Amino acid sequence: MHAPTAFRVNDTAELVAFIEARHFATLVVAGPDGPLAAHVPMLVNRDADGAVISLECHVARNNPVVAIAASGAKALAIFNGADAYVTPSLYLSKREHGKVVPTWNYIAVEVTGDVVTFNDAPSLTAQIERMTDAMEQPTAVPWKVSDAPDAYIAQMLNGITGLRLTVGGIEGVRKISQNKNAGDFAGVLNGFTHSNDHGARELAAEMTKSDIVKKVS
């Protein structure tokens, strides 16, 4: 990941919290004929001390990613947050000297490591139960795996393969105009706050809850 110092997120706990809030990732594996990607929700696994050791997901057994991962492969999991275009018209500097250009603000976390496969029923069952419980938590009447017939769940398990990515590194970037002067930062914050773009409004919320907003307070 290319992340200039001004935008780099170095707090591992913060990066992991982002992953657990986002869940969904693009998992890219390095194959002999080039990279292949799977778009999957992922779970975080920790050791007894609470340190993050791996990420887990599953894909259909006929997904070509499985064959690559089964032989051992390097992988990259990309978790994307909000993003939005920044027009130079939001910058106070545009009216002062005009030396401004467009850019794009965004938040993303990348995890790299080695990926392997697993197919044993207990591990797959534990994974889908954890994922289901996590995703159903906000639901008024949460659905549980045990709500479905055992034979049906067993049939579904036969159609998937688990993937486990051992964490080698975690990097993150939060580009929310923190490298701009107070006037330009305020202009982007105001523009994003009142934008019709959902991503821009999400980034405005990130801007207002961070220490960066002190630049304009």
Side-chain angles (χ1 to χ4, degrees), residues 61-184:
R61 288 202 179 183
N62 61 355
N63 190 313
V65 165
V66 172
I68 296 172
S71 59
K74 297 293 184 181
L76 166 68
I78 306 168
F79 296 83
N80 286 310
D83 68 273
Y85 172 74
V86 183
T87 170
S89 299
L90 295 177
Y91 296 143
L92 181 63
S93 298
K94 177 181 179 295
R95 296 185 289 278
E96 294 176 345
H97 50 66
K99 297 177 181 179
V100 291
V101 293
T103 189
W104 208 283
N105 282 358
Y106 64 97
I107 302 172
V109 172
E110 293 183 1
V111 180
T112 54
D114 297 315
V115 63
V116 297
T117 63
F118 59 93
N119 285 304
D120 62 290
S123 296
L124 287 174
T125 300
Q127 184 192 105
I128 63 171
E129 287 179 342
R130 283 182 59 204
M131 180 63 73
T132 300
D133 291 346
M135 300 313 299
E136 290 283 334
Q137 191 173 16
T139 307
V141 183
W143 182 86
K144 293 184 175 296
V145 173
S146 58
D147 290 343
D150 291 344
Y152 176 74
I153 294 300
Q155 179 184 353
M156 293 295 99
L157 291 179
N158 284 333
I160 64 175
T161 291
L163 299 175
R164 185 175 294 116
L165 170 64
T166 300
V167 175
I170 304 178
E171 297 180 290
V173 59
R174 181 189 290 106
K175 184 174 179 289
I176 50 176
S177 299
Q178 62 266 53
N179 62 325
K180 300 299 181 183
N181 62 45
D184 288 350

Side-chain angles (χ1 to χ4, degrees), residues 25-46:
T26 299
L27 179 66
V28 183
V29 295
D33 298 320
L36 283 177
H39 307 278
V40 289
M42 303 196 80
L43 292 168
V44 173
N45 292 326
R46 291 178 168 83

